[in-house]
Amino acid sequence: MAIFRDIWINSVLKSEEITGDDLIAYNNESAESNTFENKIALLRSSRNQLLAETDFYALSDVTMSSDMETYRQELRDITNGLTTADEVDAVTFPTKP
């Protein structure tokens, strides 16, 4: 099975087959994406998006319910104590009220 990557050449997007040493590097990059650092970064990104979706509840002219306060706090605490990639994989996001 051939693996291709998209590259820009003179403002034109082209597909190029990955072979030889480039293929080894590509496979190593794919394996590295499963590291703790990459997984925790993705988890934080997802968490930040969920927090951003509820930021308007924190405005001074909006009364935030205790359920929403709890939800937002659980999101902020979701990365606490995580030390391995397997722990990151096991995270379950809280349910939005």
Side-chain angles (χ1 to χ4, degrees):
M1 178 175 101
I3 298 178
F4 293 85
R5 65 178 164 204
D6 292 333
I7 59 171
W8 288 94
I9 300 174
N10 297 327
S11 301
V12 177
L13 184 63
K14 297 188 176 202
S15 290
E16 170 185 84
E17 185 174 2
I18 303 173
T19 59
D21 290 339
D22 287 340
L23 182 57
I24 292 169
Y26 175 84
N27 287 334
N28 288 339
E29 288 172 12
S30 295
E32 289 172 5
S33 69
N34 289 324
T35 65
F36 171 75
E37 290 79 14
N38 289 335
K39 288 185 176 195
I40 197 79
L42 288 172
L43 177 64
R44 285 185 177 124
S45 177
S46 297
R47 183 255 336 252
N48 292 345
Q49 178 62 39
L50 291 172
L51 281 169
E53 290 173 5
T54 60
D55 277 349
F56 70 93
Y57 287 108
L59 297 174
S60 62
D61 61 341
V62 177
T63 303
M64 189 182 312
S65 69
S66 63
D67 288 342
M68 184 57 69
E69 287 178 9
T70 301
Y71 170 73
R72 288 175 55 84
Q73 187 61 51
E74 288 173 353
L75 286 174
R76 287 189 293 272
D77 294 341
I78 206 161
T79 58
N80 291 353
L82 299 178
T83 58
T84 67
D86 289 337
E87 290 173 341
V88 175
D89 289 339
V91 166
T92 303
F93 283 97
T95 303
K96 185 178 176 182

